């Protein structure tokens, strides 16, 4: 892990990631996220070319449907930390965990260079530490007994839970605790929801259930799955988390592994 941890982040970034501009409408930003699957959009000042901040999926969902004419500069967030192009993976990763931020901009002389994401680390591990990932088991790295939601839970309730716990997605299980799908922020954006956490559960959202927005085709792993097997859908399909089930027969959710869990092996120096 030493060699991987000491790799400069500039060599990892995906330069094709989309950006937004300060005068883009929220509707435009929502469309970019919906069509590209981006988790976060760096916002650039169109006049100066300077980096302003970041807007993520959660920010887009918070905006009320009555404020869709708002522009990026009115909702953009300044970040507590920016990265320089020469920083190493291990140092960038420690900052990510310290500030609980999984996408950080690379800035040089106030100019945006690229977006460094936790998914870049997972992809780098996948491509450069295959044998090592094959030697590690999911049960040793997963979060055990994760929060699971029901298909009949109201969307507003689930959104509040996502905000409170800072979760971007949650497994969905039926009354027998069998995994039946997953619900994510991206699912909500694709369905066109806005500011769902402010809506009253006694109002229209009460009739909108998790089952109306969830993804039914879900990839899962087992306690004995290797981290390499877990990382395949993360890299190939850009999934942020993989539920872990007890067996193929009952599919009871007993754990979950996300991108951060994989990245932690660099910090742990396993």
């Amino acid at each position: 892990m030493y060699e991987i941890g000491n790799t400069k982040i500039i060599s990892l970034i995906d330069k094709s990631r989309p950006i937004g501009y300060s005068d883009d409408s929220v509707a435009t930003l929502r469309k970019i996220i919906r069509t590209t699957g981006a988790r976060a959009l760096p916002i650039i000042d169109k006049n100066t070319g300077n980096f302003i901040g970041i807007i993520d999926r959660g920010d887009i969902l918070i905006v009320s449907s009555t404020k869709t004419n708002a522009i990026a500069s009115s909702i953009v967030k300044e970040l507590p930390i920016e990265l320089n192009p020469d920083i190493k993976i291990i140092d960038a990763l420690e900052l990510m965990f310290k500030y609980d931020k999984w996408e950080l901009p690379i800035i040089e002389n106030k100019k945006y260079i690229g977006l460094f994401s936790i998914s870049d680390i997972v992809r780098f591990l996948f491509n450069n530490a295959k044998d090592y990932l094959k030697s590690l088991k999911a049960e040793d790295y997963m979060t055990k007994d994760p929060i699971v939601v029901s298909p009949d839970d109201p969307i507003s309730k689930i959104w509040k839970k996502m905000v409170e716990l800072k979760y971007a997605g949650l497994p969905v299980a039926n009354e027998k605790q069998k995994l039946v799908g997953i619900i994510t922020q991206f699912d909500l954006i694709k369905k066109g929801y806005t500011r769902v956490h402010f809506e009253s559960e006694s109002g229209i959202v009460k009739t909108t259930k998790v089952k109306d927005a969830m993804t039914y085709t879900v990839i899962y792993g087992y306690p004995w799955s290797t981290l390499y097997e877990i990382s395949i859908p993360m890299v190939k399909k850009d999934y942020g988390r993989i539920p872990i089930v007890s067996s193929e027969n009952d599919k009871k959710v007993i754990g979950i592994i996300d991108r951060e869990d994989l990245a932690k092996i660099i910090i742990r120096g396993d």
Side-chain angles (χ1 to χ4, degrees):
M1 286 298 102
Y2 178 82
E3 183 176 348
I4 287 178
N6 281 278
T7 302
K8 292 183 179 181
I9 62 171
I10 195 66
S11 65
L12 275 68
I13 63 171
D14 179 358
K15 295 183 178 179
S16 67
R17 284 198 176 103
I19 62 173
Y21 292 99
S22 53
D23 59 353
D24 282 344
S25 68
V26 170
T28 295
L29 300 178
R30 184 183 293 116
K31 183 178 180 180
I32 293 173
I33 289 177
R34 188 169 56 241
T35 56
T36 67
R39 291 183 170 84
L41 290 177
I43 304 300
I44 312 299
D45 186 294
K46 212 165 191 177
N47 295 319
T48 65
N50 291 346
F51 171 78
I52 299 177
I54 278 182
I55 291 175
D56 59 28
R57 292 175 178 175
D59 299 322
I60 293 297
L61 284 167
I62 286 174
V63 177
S64 168
S65 58
T66 62
K67 294 184 178 180
T68 53
N69 290 328
I71 61 174
S73 59
S74 66
I75 66 169
V76 69
K77 298 180 299 187
E78 292 186 8
L79 294 179
I81 189 69
E82 296 172 355
L83 305 177
N84 66 70
D86 292 325
I87 194 171
K88 298 175 182 178
I89 289 178
I90 184 67
D91 297 322
L93 190 54
E94 287 177 347
L95 288 171
M96 284 179 159
F97 279 104
K98 178 180 179 179
Y99 291 100
D100 196 24
K101 300 292 183 182
W102 308 121
E103 284 82 25
L104 289 175
I106 303 173
I107 306 297
E108 191 170 39
N109 297 323
K110 296 184 178 181
K111 303 300 181 183
Y112 173 75
I113 305 299
L115 188 69
F116 182 61
S117 170
I118 197 82
S119 60
D120 293 322
I121 298 176
V122 173
R123 186 178 67 251
F124 193 70
L125 285 169
F126 179 81
N127 291 328
N128 295 276
K130 180 184 298 186
D131 291 339
Y132 184 64
L133 292 178
K134 287 181 177 179
S135 71
L136 306 177
K137 302 299 182 184
E139 61 186 346
D140 297 321
Y141 294 86
M142 69 185 188
T143 297
K144 298 179 180 178
D145 301 318
I147 293 175
V148 175
V149 301
S150 165
D152 291 316
D153 283 335
I155 288 293
S156 56
K157 175 182 177 182
I158 300 311
W159 170 246
K160 289 175 184 177
K161 195 180 293 289
M162 286 180 176
V163 172
E164 290 169 3
L165 301 175
K166 296 184 178 180
Y167 288 171
L170 294 164
V172 183
N174 62 19
E175 67 279 1
K176 295 182 179 179
Q177 299 303 305
K178 180 178 180 179
L179 179 70
V180 294
I182 195 162
I183 181 75
T184 68
Q185 289 182 354
F186 190 51
D187 290 321
L188 300 181
I189 289 175
K190 285 191 298 183
K191 292 289 185 177
Y193 295 115
T194 58
R195 207 173 185 177
V196 291
H197 65 306
F198 286 147
E199 301 288 352
S200 169
E201 288 184 29
S202 63
I204 187 171
V205 174
K206 186 175 182 181
T207 61
T208 308
K209 309 293 187 181
V210 167
K211 61 186 177 184
D212 299 318
M214 62 185 264
T215 296
Y216 284 84
T217 303
V218 55
I219 293 177
Y220 51 87
Y222 306 102
W224 55 86
S225 297
T226 68
L227 291 193
Y228 179 75
E229 292 170 321
I230 297 298
S231 67
I232 292 175
M234 290 184 174
V235 173
K236 301 295 186 181
K237 296 182 177 293
D238 196 31
Y239 287 176
R241 62 212 52 80
I242 304 297
I244 306 300
V245 300
S246 55
S247 70
E248 178 62 28
N249 290 330
D250 60 28
K251 291 184 182 175
K252 181 180 180 181
V253 182
I254 60 172
I256 196 165
I257 291 185
D258 58 24
R259 298 169 300 158
E260 296 86 75
D261 293 318
L262 286 181
K264 281 178 185 176
I265 67 176
I266 297 177
I267 291 181
R268 288 169 56 169
D270 291 352

